[in-house]
Amino acid sequence: MSSITLQNLVKKYDDGFPAVNDISIDIEDGEFIILVGPSGCGKSTLLRMIVGLEDITEGDLLIGGERVNEKAPRERNLAMVFQSYALYPHLTVYENIAFPMRLTKGKFTKEEIDEKVRHAATMLELTEHLDRKPANLSGGQRQRVAMGRAIVREADAFLFDEPLSNLDAKLRGQMRAEIARLQRELNTTSVYVTHDQTEAMTLGDRVAVLKKGLLQQIASPRELYEQPANLFVAGFIGSPSMNFLPGTVEGNVFSTPLGKIEIPDRAAKAGAGREIVLAGIRPEFFDDASQLSEAQLSKGTTFTAEISHSEWMGNEQYAYVSYETDERVQDTLRNLAEEMDADELRTQLVVEVDATSRFRSGDTAELWLDTRRMHLFDPATGENLTRDAEAGAELTREAREDRKRDAERFVSRQS
Amino acid sequence: MASNGKLTGKQRLGWTVLTVVVLLYALFPVAAILATSFKTQADLGNAAFLPSNWTWANYEMILVGDAQELFLTAFRNSIGITLIATFIAVVLATLCAYAIARLNFPGKRIILGTALAVSIFPVISVVTPLFNLWRNIGLYDTWLGLIIPYLSLTLPISIWTLAAFFRQIPWDLEQAAQVDGATQWQAFRRAIVPLAMPGVFTTAIIAFFIAWNDFVYGISLTSTEAARPVPAALAFFTGASQFEEPTGAISAAAIIVTIPVVVLVLLFQRQIVSGLTQGAVKG
């Protein structure tokens, strides 16, 4: 178990393209870090630099305080789970799990190997499959064998490269819980690459969002969600993703294509004097005004809009409101959509309302907006103008304390 | 397939007929030689397919009779030279193909290109200069003098087939092994070689056939029994008298020479076929 420190890591390919550009992250002992971003953002490259399968062009990589830039993968004592699982097809499950120990001649006795393999197999419910070949296992079982191979190593850290992307949705949920449980139980430093938001939000103590080789923000999932650093993070985290509504701030009034919306002082101050800003509003910041109490209504702003269509999902309901977007922000939004691997820029507001609301296509509905939670972004730089850094840091600190408490609780339960 | 067996009944008949025709076409010469090898000297001239009197005389002649020395030493030469050449070719080609498939180094394309160029170069144009060179440096009429040219025949094709084979083995496996604590050599030995074995077998058999079947080098670079392989030795068979053709003896020798090849294929066909079906390689 070790801390991992990334200091200004750079990876340049022969053509000079920086796949990873000046990334610094301090990973604490026992922490679960997620690297997330759209495809081509350098997250896998960064992981492979940590494990030693890619050379580091510039910067320092420290594991347990020791610089390991030049060390071969086998000398770094890390365990990795590959996207393809990379099980050895000619070996049984037992031998697959025992493989790392067989390589260290003389370090383990036969009995020790047997004990460790069986312990890992019990933990992962693989005991009855030990004599089978990987070809005869299901996807979830193969995944568990790959985890078993990582566990027996007693490595300093676990590295996961999109380990669940080959599984179907149901199994993915199960394995996600399994990985979270194991990580807590073993309290091993982990770095996990994914492009799946759910995995990022549920597994990570902290999540690092990458775009084109650059670190956008690293924070607890809650901080990313509530206090995003910029337009990209705000748009990338959350599903359905955040709405970006262009408009101008004059006093406490925000003029948008949907009409004028009254905003609180904090936002008004941040947006004052700017020609145009983008308001970031998550779908759940809206609600059906007719269902809310007076007290609730007074905390935000109400406005009317025509519902172009609605989707009833059972537990919730999405309503869509079309609007004319402002030409001045069109480029920004188009770029953003491209960066996020999204199909096209949307000129539709997604509104999440209670499932009992009776919104129908073509209705003119009265919507309530919680203006306290919305953010204003500068369309030119993408900077979040209303970000409360202190509140964000507080959220991440809470997450860190939660993790430590979890670990302690587990240790005390063990003894 | 079973469910629509009736539908394919006609097609199946067609395929059967076609298979029989192809088999007849391919195996008729072999059958003819087999029949000839059992004919007596007097029988050789008649036009019948089967011998009128079955005799082991031809086999006796080459295995225990007059031609014994000529044939058996040649047979020994052939087996020895071919096995050594195949072994060296496969070992070298395995290492070379692995490097070509996995590593990025300058001159990779040149190696592949040269290998291809060598393999399409006509043997007959190489053999004369080689004959002079071998005489000068003392390799003429030695095992080594044949093993080296055989390598030039077997190495290129071995490198090409093995490189194609190695490319199919997922690189992840090797990287996983390295992360698990293996050196590059251990990763190759313990993760890649077991998976590559079917490909290596196939390559070895191809290389063996090429060397086994060679005639031009065998006849040009040898002069005595010291190194002469079977295909060349057959040309030196003589009949009982000047006026007798040694057709029967040659046929018998040809049949015996075919046996190792058939045995090899039967022995290794499981490895060849089982080869790529191990599974779990893809997700």
Side-chain angles (χ1 to χ4, degrees), chain B residues 1-231:
Chain B
M1 283 306 267
S3 61
N4 57 4
K6 267 181 190 170
L7 278 175
T8 58
K10 225 175 196 175
Q11 289 170 325
R12 193 182 291 166
L13 184 73
W15 278 111
T16 311
V17 171
L18 194 69
T19 310
V20 169
V21 169
V22 171
L23 276 179
L24 276 179
Y25 180 78
L27 291 182
F28 180 76
V30 180
I33 290 179
L34 187 67
T36 310
S37 73
F38 286 107
K39 283 183 178 174
T40 59
Q41 190 64 35
D43 223 4
L44 284 174
N46 73 19
F49 181 77
L50 290 175
S52 44
N53 289 312
W54 293 76
T55 170
W56 285 99
N58 293 319
Y59 288 93
E60 271 164 29
M61 185 162 105
I62 60 167
L63 292 177
V64 291
D66 295 344
Q68 179 199 24
E69 206 170 324
L70 187 65
F71 179 71
L72 286 186
T73 46
F75 198 60
R76 209 177 302 127
N77 286 339
S78 256
I79 288 182
I81 292 169
T82 307
L83 281 181
I84 294 171
T86 305
F87 180 76
I88 296 175
V90 167
V91 170
L92 287 183
T94 305
L95 298 175
C96 179
Y98 176 71
I100 284 170
R102 284 290 187 260
L103 308 176
N104 251 326
F105 56 90
K108 193 163 130 175
R109 290 176 143 250
I110 296 177
I111 290 181
L112 277 176
T114 313
L116 192 64
V118 168
S119 68
I120 58 172
F121 215 74
V123 168
I124 198 73
S125 60
V126 185
V127 83
T128 315
L130 213 53
F131 171 75
N132 279 323
L133 181 66
W134 266 202
R135 269 196 324 178
N136 287 334
I137 61 174
L139 280 179
Y140 182 70
D141 203 21
T142 61
W143 276 27
L144 189 62
L146 277 183
I147 289 170
I148 293 172
Y150 283 0
L151 283 180
S152 79
L153 293 178
T154 52
L155 256 182
I157 186 132
S158 305
I159 290 172
W160 275 83
T161 36
L162 277 174
F165 200 84
F166 277 129
R167 284 202 192 96
Q168 291 177 355
I169 297 177
W171 202 344
D172 270 1
L173 283 182
E174 216 179 329
Q175 295 185 330
Q178 282 183 33
V179 174
D180 280 346
T183 60
Q184 181 123 23
W185 170 250
Q186 278 177 315
F188 175 66
R189 243 296 279 119
R190 309 189 61 148
I192 302 302
V193 170
L195 291 178
M197 271 338 257
V200 173
F201 272 119
T202 317
T203 311
I205 287 172
I206 294 171
F208 183 88
F209 291 163
I210 291 174
W212 187 256
N213 289 337
D214 166 76
F215 176 74
V216 176
Y217 283 130
I219 197 117
S220 314
L221 300 179
T222 59
S223 60
T224 67
E225 287 158 4
R228 186 181 289 139
V230 173

Side-chain angles (χ1 to χ4, degrees), chain A residues 85-102 117 130 132-135 137 142 145-146 148-150 152-153, chain B residues 173 176 180 280:
Chain A
Y85 318 137
L87 302 181
Y88 309 113
H90 58 292
L91 299 177
T92 59
V93 169
Y94 184 100
E95 282 304 321
N96 259 290
I97 298 177
F99 187 83
M101 292 186 286
R102 298 251 190 254
V117 171
L130 281 176
R132 299 170 73 189
K133 290 272 175 72
L137 300 179
R142 287 182 201 174
V145 177
R149 201 168 59 185
V152 293
R153 291 275 312 283
Chain B
L173 283 182
D180 280 346

Side-chain angles (χ1 to χ4, degrees), chain A residues 132-405:
Chain A
R132 299 170 73 189
K133 290 272 175 72
N136 306 324
L137 300 179
S138 70
Q141 288 164 342
R142 287 182 201 174
Q143 169 65 47
R144 292 211 291 271
V145 177
M147 304 258 299
R149 201 168 59 185
I151 290 172
V152 293
R153 291 275 312 283
E154 290 173 4
D156 286 339
F158 292 155
L159 305 174
F160 299 88
D161 189 2
E162 308 209 14
L164 305 183
S165 57
N166 283 346
L167 302 178
D168 58 54
K170 194 178 156 207
L171 210 49
R172 211 179 295 163
Q174 274 175 24
M175 288 310 297
R176 201 170 61 218
E178 189 89 333
I179 290 176
R181 180 181 65 84
L182 273 174
Q183 201 273 341
R184 281 285 172 266
E185 222 170 292
L186 301 165
N187 197 26
T188 305
T189 316
S190 302
V191 184
Y192 187 109
V193 165
T194 182
H195 62 262
D196 182 287
Q197 304 215 10
T198 324
E199 285 170 32
M201 300 299 261
T202 53
L203 288 173
D205 294 317
R206 281 192 297 159
V207 177
V209 182
L210 278 75
K211 181 188 92 178
K212 293 181 178 163
L214 287 166
L215 182 62
Q216 302 294 306
Q217 186 176 9
I218 173 159
S220 71
R222 277 198 67 176
E223 183 181 347
L224 287 184
Y225 195 78
E226 291 179 16
Q227 302 290 345
N230 58 35
L231 209 55
F232 176 78
V233 176
F236 189 77
I237 300 291
S239 173
S241 49
M242 201 182 235
N243 299 296
F244 294 111
L245 196 59
T248 17
V249 178
E250 279 166 49
N252 274 33
V253 177
F254 185 47
S255 322
T256 72
L258 288 172
K260 294 192 191 311
I261 295 172
E262 202 178 316
I263 52 171
D265 295 343
R266 216 177 104 75
K269 221 160 96 191
R274 287 175 190 269
E275 193 195 342
I276 189 160
V277 290
L278 279 172
I281 309 167
R282 297 209 179 271
E284 70 271 23
F285 293 180
F286 294 99
D287 218 329
D288 179 357
S290 64
Q291 292 203 327
L292 296 177
S293 65
E294 274 303 317
Q296 189 72 24
L297 285 172
S298 67
K299 287 177 186 159
T301 312
T302 50
F303 66 99
T304 52
E306 191 186 323
I307 308 293
S308 56
H309 72 286
S310 71
E311 290 170 344
W312 187 81
M313 318 288 280
N315 59 336
E316 63 206 352
Q317 183 171 199
Y318 294 117
Y320 297 87
V321 179
S322 300
Y323 62 89
E324 274 307 306
T325 192
D326 196 302
E327 270 177 27
R328 288 170 292 179
V329 294
Q330 225 161 16
D331 280 347
T332 307
L333 290 177
R334 195 179 295 131
N335 278 341
L336 186 67
E338 231 165 71
E339 284 165 354
M340 296 194 309
D341 286 348
D343 306 333
E344 55 195 83
L345 72 164
R346 295 151 298 137
T347 55
Q348 243 183 358
L349 213 58
V350 185
V351 174
E352 186 187 326
V353 293
D354 197 86
T356 53
S357 288
R358 306 193 63 182
F359 282 177
R360 284 281 160 271
S361 308
D363 285 357
T364 302
E366 198 172 0
L367 290 171
W368 173 81
L369 168 62
D370 188 347
T371 46
R372 293 166 305 171
R373 295 167 73 189
M374 68 181 233
H375 284 287
L376 291 183
F377 297 90
D378 180 344
T381 61
E383 186 199 347
N384 184 349
L385 301 168
T386 48
R387 175 173 146 79
D388 186 343
E390 263 171 51
E394 174 66 25
L395 289 172
T396 296
R397 218 182 55 243
E398 276 170 18
R400 182 160 172 260
E401 277 159 17
D402 283 351
R403 169 173 67 83
K404 295 222 156 130
R405 219 173 33 241

